[in-house]
């Protein structure tokens, strides 16, 4: 029997990001995690809904990403589940993100966590903050699209 893998399996998603930001560009970043943290992430015990990324000294870090301690962990389990974790990106990508995030209204937002080739990856996006009227407009478009799909399904049922 072949070994089961969870390749490209989405482990955590930030659903508020698309509601609060216009995502303009995305980057895939590796994360520096301890052994018990990666086990918790693979078990799906990570939360990035309140997380944000910063750049310090030419390195990118993610803050407020909550990874629950591993149940069968040992003394090397981190005591702080929301500690700042280093993200692994190329210097060119970090400098590009630094320049773009300095503009008014832009932020570096974590979008989702997944596993690729055995490594935990974080998809981060450069987002421009939405105003309240933009959020209402997005919700109205989503509702209209849902109504169109519902009408098409009803039409297909009647045609049969």
């Amino acid at each position: 029997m072949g070994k089961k893998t969870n390749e490209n399996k989405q482990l955590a998603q930030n659903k508020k990001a698309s509601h609060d930001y216009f995502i303009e560009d995305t980057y895939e970043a590796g994360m520096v995690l301890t052994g018990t943290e990666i086990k918790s992430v693979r078990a799906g015990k990570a939360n990035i809904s309140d997380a944000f990324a910063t750049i310090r000294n030419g390195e990118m870090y993610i803050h407020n990403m909550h990874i629950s301690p591993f149940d069968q962990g040992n003394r090397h389990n981190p005591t702080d589940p929301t500690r700042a974790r280093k993200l692994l990106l190329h210097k060119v990508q970090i400098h590009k993100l630094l320049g773009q995030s300095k503009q008014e209204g832009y932020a570096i937002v974590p979008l989702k966590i997944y596993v690729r080739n055995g490594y935990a990856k974080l998809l981060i996006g450069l987002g421009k903050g939405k105003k309240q009227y933009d959020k209402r407009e997005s919700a109205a478009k989503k509702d209209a699209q849902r109504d169109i799909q519902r009408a098409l399904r009803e039409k297909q049922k009647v045609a049969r």
Side-chain angles (χ1 to χ4, degrees), residues 137-156:
E137 186 177 308
S138 296
K141 283 182 183 177
K142 195 181 291 185
D143 289 342
Q145 190 66 29
R146 194 176 307 125
D147 291 341
I148 291 169
Q149 291 298 324
R150 188 178 300 132
L152 286 174
R153 280 196 305 270
E154 290 298 321
K155 191 173 183 179
Q156 288 177 347

Side-chain angles (χ1 to χ4, degrees), residues 40-56:
S40 289
V41 167
R42 287 180 188 214
K45 296 185 177 181
N47 184 357
I48 58 172
S49 61
D50 295 330
F52 62 95
T54 59
I55 299 174
R56 283 185 298 184

Side-chain angles (χ1 to χ4, degrees), residues 28-82:
E28 181 182 75
M31 294 185 288
V32 177
L33 301 173
T34 64
T36 54
E37 282 180 332
I38 187 63
K39 290 179 180 184
S40 289
V41 167
R42 287 180 188 214
K45 296 185 177 181
N47 184 357
I48 58 172
S49 61
D50 295 330
F52 62 95
T54 59
I55 299 174
R56 283 185 298 184
N57 299 330
E59 296 177 338
M60 184 170 281
Y61 293 90
I62 185 163
H63 303 275
N64 285 351
M65 179 174 71
H66 188 278
I67 297 177
S68 298
F70 188 59
D71 295 334
Q72 291 84 30
N74 54 15
R75 64 181 175 185
H76 298 295
N77 246 355
T79 56
D80 184 16
T82 59

Side-chain angles (χ1 to χ4, degrees), residues 110-121:
L111 301 174
K112 65 180 176 177
I113 299 176
Y114 54 95
V115 174
R116 176 177 287 167
N117 298 331
Y119 296 103
K121 302 289 183 179

